Amino acid sequence: MEEPQLAVKKAILRIVDVLSTLPNVVHEQLKAGKRYAFEDYGTSSGVLIIKSGSFSVYRRRSDLFLGTISAPNVTSFSEALYNNSFHYIKADEACEAILVYPDDFIQAAEDFDLWEDICLVLSTNLISIFVEQNLNVADTAYEVVKNYLLELADMDDAERYKYNVANYIVERSALSRSAVMAILSDLRKGEFIKMQRAKLISVGKLPKGY
Amino acid sequence: MEEPQLAVKKAILRIVDVLSTLPNVVHEQLKAGKRYAFEDYGTSSGVLIIKSGSFSVYRRRSDLFLGTISAPNVTSFSEALYNNSFHYIKADEACEAILVYPDDFIQAAEDFDLWEDICLVLSTNLISIFVEQNLNVADTAYEVVKNYLLELADMDDAERYKYNVANYIVERSALSRSAVMAILSDLRKGEFIKMQRAKLISVGKLPKGY
């Protein structure tokens, strides 16, 4: 079996290639900060391709930030199949988005034999949710903070320096900003972590309890 | 487009039919209460078919109860594709399970053209998670309880009478039993809901706030 991470990248590229060139799609240039609304295009869902730039995904019901998606990518398969929408996106920077209507998407998946590729993307979505749920399973606020610090520590420096540590944790967890700030401050004082201008520089061996 | 709920039932039946008859699968009779461990079969994941009976799914990391699956059904596609396991199952009653090893599953999906059906099942899993997440998005404990009461009220009587209302909510939410019991008790006193022997009989117009 090919490594799933690599296989899913290839799958996404194939899907983007096919869907981008369908006749009935709607190309749209989004300005930074612009929220995308399916309703503006007379549909309640659809597959969304991002050709350039990046956008953030939020839960419609609670405005919870869920993650960032960079081009080239494709999203909302499950919602297109169910013709329902649980999320919305907002452009982080200028980006080009392409809307594929649900019925056109299903027809194209059939015609161009995309179902296996779509399975891989859907599985990746599910696995990401499972991982995220695990990060949020903890008995104490400290353990939640610790899980996210370890996730940040795993990133390349360039990737990690993009994030304000406190924001990163507050946006992804159910913790209050004050709780997160207090824990980070104690960890810095104890020299368990090193931060500079709100970025995480390094993580040492974190205490088990707090 | 066919109704997704109906389409997914048909998809599951087709998948179960094909996978059950593969040569390398492992049939197992599970006694009530028995936990299924992939490790016992020399694999860390796999697709699991349930041919008869029913089992409950739990999050491996926290033992959180996630739901019940009744035969005929099939589970763990995403985990099989990633060869990783985030959940475990426990038989609710005697049941017959069939394990399909990840590589055999992928080969069969290819050979028997199952990817579209699998997409539909994966999408259904994602949509269920989105719905569940929405139910748990609420500012107050009362709103969480209200969401679950409305979910129960939507069920057929026979389905609903299977559940102890308090257990149903405690198992699915992050609320404590005492918080749930207090709210249910107040709602009964106010005659907003009718319960009998821990089952929900009917739900009237629930108060907006609490």
Side-chain angles (χ1 to χ4, degrees), chain A residues 61 81-82 110 116 123-124, chain B residues 81-82 110 116 123-124 134:
Chain A
R61 172 80 183 267
L81 284 170
Y82 269 81
E110 202 62 48
E116 179 174 358
S123 295
T124 308
Chain B
L81 284 170
Y82 269 81
E110 203 61 48
E116 179 175 359
S123 295
T124 309
N134 275 354

Side-chain angles (χ1 to χ4, degrees), chain B residues 105 114 190:
Chain B
F105 151 62
L114 295 178

Side-chain angles (χ1 to χ4, degrees), chain A residues 178-198:
Chain A
S178 58
V180 172
M181 296 298 274
I183 293 168
L184 289 178
S185 160
D186 286 348
L187 288 174
R188 291 177 70 171
K189 279 184 218 149
E191 294 184 355
F192 294 109
I193 60 172
K194 213 172 141 186
M195 287 173 59
Q196 209 161 41
R197 289 197 281 175

Side-chain angles (χ1 to χ4, degrees), chain B residues 35-105:
Chain B
R35 176 171 164 166
Y36 192 90
F38 286 118
E39 296 75 19
D40 291 349
Y41 306 92
T43 180
S44 46
S45 75
V47 168
L48 212 53
I49 297 167
I50 170 162
K51 283 291 271 189
S52 67
S54 69
F55 57 63
S56 292
V57 182
Y58 296 84
R59 188 174 302 155
R60 199 176 268 265
R61 171 81 184 267
S62 62
D63 297 314
L64 183 74
F65 167 80
L66 296 173
T68 300
I69 297 182
S70 299
N73 221 320
V74 58
T75 180
S76 319
F77 291 126
S78 57
E79 291 163 279
L81 284 170
Y82 269 81
N83 206 14
N84 202 334
S85 172
F86 292 86
H87 304 101
Y88 66 85
I89 65 151
K90 217 190 242 177
D92 291 331
E93 50 185 317
C95 60
E96 190 192 348
I98 303 176
L99 166 67
V100 186
Y101 289 98
D103 287 343
D104 295 336
F105 151 62

Side-chain angles (χ1 to χ4, degrees), chain A residues 32-76:
Chain A
K34 167 83 179 158
R35 176 173 165 166
Y36 192 90
F38 285 118
E39 296 74 19
D40 291 349
Y41 305 93
T43 180
S44 46
S45 76
V47 168
L48 212 54
I49 296 167
I50 170 162
K51 282 291 271 189
S52 67
S54 69
F55 56 63
S56 292
V57 182
Y58 298 84
R59 188 174 300 155
R60 198 175 267 267
R61 172 80 183 267
S62 62
D63 297 313
L64 183 73
F65 167 80
L66 296 173
T68 301
I69 296 181
S70 300
N73 221 320
V74 58
T75 178
S76 319

